[in-house]
Amino acid sequence: MSEDGRSRVLKYVRGAVGETDVPEALPEFISQRRRWLNGSFFAATYAIAHVEQILRSGHSLTRKTVLMVETVYNIINLIFSWFSIVGIVLGFAQLLFD
């Protein structure tokens, strides 16, 4: 939906039905969670990297403001995600080596 020079229309279809396959075992569940986390991480980084497209869009000032607040939230969320990983590693290192 964000490619330049494309004219696409996003429509709501009332009769649409969505289905999903529920993981039946723990390894499948872990794989699914990994895919979802990777997808959300890359979607957030893509949105942050292409924030100028929001500013150049034809959206109203209110919608641009809300989208910029969401971008700030994504940046803060990514920073805390990275530091939480470091905190876990340091915590385990402290437990193992002290």
Side-chain angles (χ1 to χ4, degrees):
M1 298 304 297
S2 64
E3 295 178 20
D4 289 334
R6 305 282 182 164
S7 60
R8 295 183 177 148
V9 177
L10 185 63
K11 293 184 179 182
Y12 174 75
V13 179
R14 184 176 298 275
V17 177
E19 295 181 5
T20 186
D21 294 328
V22 178
E24 296 179 5
L26 185 61
E28 292 177 49
F29 176 72
I30 292 171
S31 294
Q32 183 185 51
R33 288 287 297 155
R34 191 188 79 242
R35 286 192 306 272
W36 287 354
L37 289 173
N38 285 343
S40 65
F41 173 77
F42 287 110
T45 55
Y46 181 87
I48 292 167
H50 294 87
V51 71
E52 74 277 353
Q53 290 181 359
I54 295 171
L55 299 175
R56 288 186 284 129
S57 69
H59 292 301
S60 67
L61 180 61
T62 304
R63 182 168 289 173
K64 286 181 184 180
T65 303
V66 169
L67 290 171
M68 293 307 295
V69 168
E70 184 179 9
T71 300
V72 170
Y73 169 78
N74 281 334
I75 291 169
I76 293 169
N77 193 16
L78 286 173
I79 290 169
F80 277 104
S81 295
W82 280 103
F83 282 119
S84 68
I85 293 169
V86 171
I88 291 170
V89 171
L90 290 176
F92 276 118
Q94 176 116 16
L95 287 174
L96 293 175
F97 300 117
D98 272 348

